[in-house]
Amino acid sequence: MRVQTEEGELLLVTSQPPGELAAELVGLIYSYRWRIELFFKWLKCILGCRHWLAESAQGVALQIYCALIAAPGC
C-alpha cells in the first residue's frame, strides 16, 4: 500500500489482503503504533524499566507508575 504524506510517499506492508483496509487507515495505524513503540523505548531507556516484574495489567500499571514517580527530572 502507498500512502502520501507531507514528507513524501510511504510504502506500507501489511498482512491484510489488498482492498480490505484503506491505505490511509493503515498509515494511521502505523503512526499510532509508532507512538506506542516510542513510549516503551522511553520507558525502558530513560526510566530504567528493562524487564516487566509483573504479568497482570494491574502489576504492569503499578510498575509504570513507580517508574514515572522515580524518574529524574521528568
Side-chain angles (χ1 to χ4, degrees):
M1 294 182 167
R2 296 179 187 277
V3 177
Q4 188 64 37
T5 66
E6 295 172 1
E7 290 84 27
E9 188 175 73
L10 297 174
L11 178 62
L12 303 177
V13 178
T14 179
S15 61
Q16 294 290 325
E20 186 105 355
L21 293 174
E24 290 77 18
L25 180 58
V26 174
L28 183 64
I29 292 169
Y30 269 75
S31 71
Y32 287 145
R33 179 182 174 161
W34 185 246
R35 289 180 189 177
I36 293 168
E37 294 286 340
L38 288 178
F39 169 75
F40 280 103
K41 179 181 179 183
W42 175 76
L43 188 68
K44 288 180 176 182
C45 296
I46 304 300
L47 298 182
C49 291
R50 303 256 184 249
H51 302 287
W52 294 117
L53 301 174
E55 294 183 10
S56 68
Q58 293 85 7
V60 170
L62 183 61
Q63 187 174 351
I64 291 173
Y65 291 143
C66 289
L68 290 172
I69 290 169
C74 288

